[in-house]
Every structure is written in C-alpha cells, then in structure tokens.
Amino acid sequence: MVERLGFPSRLPALLGIRLPIVQGGMSWASSSAALPLAVARAGALGTIAAGPMRPEALVAAIRELRAGTDAPFAVNVPLYNKRSAEFLDIVEAERVPIIIASQGGPKALPRFRAIGTKWVHVVASPLHAAKAAEAGVDAVIAVGGEAGGHPAPDEVSAMVLVRAVVRAVTIPVIGAGGVADGAGIAAMFALGAEGAQLGTRFLMTEEATVHPDYKARVLAAGISDTRLVGRGRLPIRQLRNRFTDEVDAAERAGRPAEELAALQASRSLREAALEGDVEFGKVEAGQTAGLIDDIPPAGELVRRLAAEAEAVRLRLAGAA
C-alpha cells in the first residue's frame, strides 16, 4: 500500500490528509457519510455534498463521519444554494475541518479562518482563482470542461485550465476534470497542480448512494457519450439520453431562452440518482465515464489510484 505519493504537494500538511486525492462532492452520491467516510479512512479527502441535503441530515452525516474516523473530511457547500447560509452555519457549529465552496465568492471566509477551518474554493478560470487567492482561501480546485455536473461554462479543458490557474496563483491548486486513474492524477501534477479531484470515478464505487440503474448507465458509457446542455445559462454535463436529445433539439431549433430554461428545469438529477429514471432524469457524469469499467469499494479505489499514480511517477523518473 502506498502511504504517500512521491509528487511534491503542500496539501497533506495543509489539510492533514495522507494522499493528495480529493473525492468530489456529488449531490446524492456523497450526500451522506458512506462514501466520504470510506475515502477518508483510506487516506484521501472525502467530501459530503451538502447541496440537496436537509440541514438535519447534514448534521447527522457530519457526526456519523466524525464518529467513524479521526481523519479530516470536507463539506462541499454550493454558495448559490438557497440553504447555503444555513449550511455554512452548520459547518461552523460542527467545526468541520475543511470546507469546499463552489459557485460563489468566499465572503464568509473570515469566520471559518477564526475557527481553523481550511477553505478550498472551486474555480473555473485563472481570474477567479486569483480573486479567491487574494481573498485568502487556502487552496483552489480548477475544474475543466470534461467534468460532470457543472463544469466551466466556457468549456476549457483541464489540460489548459489547470495550467493557467497554476500560473495565476501561488497557493496549492487541485486539478479536476478528466481524471479517472493514476495516470490522470500524475497528469495534474505534471501541469503543476498539487493534487487531483475525481468525481465520476468515485461516483462509480459501492458506497456512492445513487440508484443501481444510474451506475449501470455510467458503466456502459463511452468517452463521447456525454452532452453539455444549458449552454449560455448554467451548463450541465450529463450522459446522453432522451432528455438531453430533447434539449439539444430545442437548442438547435433556436427556441426562446425562457423556453429552454423551462425545459431544462423540467427534469432533475434526483429523478436519475434516486429514482433510477436514466432516460429522462439528469444522469450527470464526466467524460471519464468512458474510462471506468468497474464499481469497487471506495477504499480499494483510493489505494489503487495511489499505487497507479506512484507507478507512473517512478516510470517517468526512470525514463528521465
């Protein structure tokens, strides 16, 4: 078992983790303690996705996770969410060690700095990264257009975005988008990042709490089977199905913006993730779906990723 990665990284010391591997916060898939607890126990950073949770469920998940491990963990709070203020209050009251904030500015950072909580901010451009760094965040996650869910609206790939963000800031950068294995993790380090975040790969684990039909659909997908719908509004990358075909046809027909918005809002991630409607629900997944061919326990996956990344590092060092 790989105890530490040989790549240079400030993240283990900064966040208290052994491995600079981050499990992305995914609505429903990690909106409970199961997945982040397994990841944290394996030495990586497990993340509870607060987005769709009721406040009392978030409190229960935090306490269950803390009871199950002494390892650090994170809570992802989407700042645009109507319950974000309440989520932030809970994170503060529960003294969560790490907050991963997305889709908004780090205005609440001072109150978390006062209690020692580390603030990691999700960014979609080098400009946003520089502003977050100036505001005092501890690290940023640069998410490329390959990612599932809500990637960068301008669709810049991780290969370019991560490199641009690394050049824009001096704080640690975590690369995300298009990472499914140890080679992808090594690629993020080659770009100058100090860690990697994986979403779809952790979605495809035993502990991820989504419907079996959702996982089966992702497992069967190829690298070109995702679609970015909602361009010009709040784009979402998801697997192609009857819903995305309907949205795509409406966009190509030039339907009015309000009609497109209503169409996109007519279906939800919940329908796919909890109810198993993979034809009309939003089956959010990244392009890495086409690189995934199994559904292992999350702890086993973390150990595999670390071994793969270290093997790549050693191979490249030998080639030098």
Side-chain angles (χ1 to χ4, degrees):
M1 183 174 70
V2 176
E3 288 296 325
R4 306 278 179 183
L5 291 187
F7 295 101
S9 176
R10 290 171 284 178
L11 291 176
L14 176 67
L15 303 180
I17 53 180
R18 283 197 300 106
L19 302 166
I21 298 171
V22 179
Q23 166 246 310
M26 298 168 286
S27 290
W28 304 115
S30 68
S31 296
S32 65
L35 176 55
L37 176 56
V39 172
R41 282 174 170 168
L45 182 61
T47 307
I48 298 172
M53 301 178 76
R54 295 187 178 278
E56 60 273 18
L58 177 58
V59 171
I62 291 170
R63 293 179 180 178
E64 181 182 346
L65 206 159
R66 180 167 274 135
T69 182
D70 293 330
F73 62 93
V75 172
N76 170 233
V77 178
L79 298 174
Y80 77 97
N81 190 291
K82 63 182 180 181
R83 292 193 293 268
S84 63
E86 193 166 4
F87 291 154
L88 291 173
D89 287 344
I90 291 170
V91 170
E92 181 181 16
E94 295 294 322
R95 296 298 195 267
V96 171
I98 301 158
I99 181 170
I100 297 178
S102 58
Q103 297 171 315
K107 297 178 181 178
L109 190 150
R111 59 194 272 209
F112 291 96
R113 177 73 70 237
I115 62 171
T117 295
K118 302 298 183 182
W119 186 295
V120 179
H121 208 75
V122 179
V123 300
S125 74
L127 177 61
H128 292 157
K131 289 183 176 179
E134 185 178 355
V137 306
D138 295 287
V140 293
I141 300 174
V143 183
E146 306 95 326
H150 299 284
D154 54 14
E155 303 178 47
V156 175
S157 71
M159 179 69 75
V160 175
L161 177 64
V162 172
R163 186 63 192 150
V165 170
V166 167
R167 293 170 61 177
V169 300
T170 58
I171 59 176
V173 175
I174 299 164
V179 183
D181 55 21
I185 293 171
M188 292 298 107
F189 280 97
L191 293 172
E194 297 184 45
Q197 175 178 279
L198 297 83
T200 305
R201 177 61 274 193
F202 279 110
L203 170 75
M204 299 296 286
T205 57
E206 292 180 0
E207 292 87 351
T209 46
V210 296
H211 197 282
D213 290 350
Y214 191 115
K215 293 183 182 181
R217 191 62 170 256
V218 175
L219 196 63
I223 61 173
S224 60
D225 287 339
T226 66
R227 294 290 183 273
L228 198 65
V229 299
R231 288 183 172 91
R233 298 179 300 281
L234 186 62
I236 301 174
R237 183 172 296 283
Q238 56 194 88
L239 293 187
R240 180 175 179 175
N241 60 9
R242 293 173 67 180
F243 169 67
T244 63
D245 288 347
E246 185 179 356
V247 173
D248 185 60
E251 290 179 336
R252 291 178 184 276
R255 306 306 301 172
E258 59 273 15
E259 185 177 324
L260 292 172
L263 176 59
Q264 188 168 344
S266 69
R267 296 293 177 177
S268 69
L269 171 61
R270 180 191 176 99
E271 289 174 292
L274 294 191
E275 299 167 17
D277 186 349
V278 295
E279 285 300 331
F280 289 100
K282 295 178 178 178
V283 187
E284 296 183 11
Q287 292 176 341
T288 56
L291 298 176
I292 296 169
D293 56 15
D294 65 349
I295 306 175
E300 176 184 311
L301 175 61
V302 170
R303 291 186 286 273
R304 182 202 305 176
L305 292 170
E308 291 173 349
E310 189 64 5
V312 172
R313 184 188 71 82
L314 293 172
R315 175 173 60 81
L316 293 176

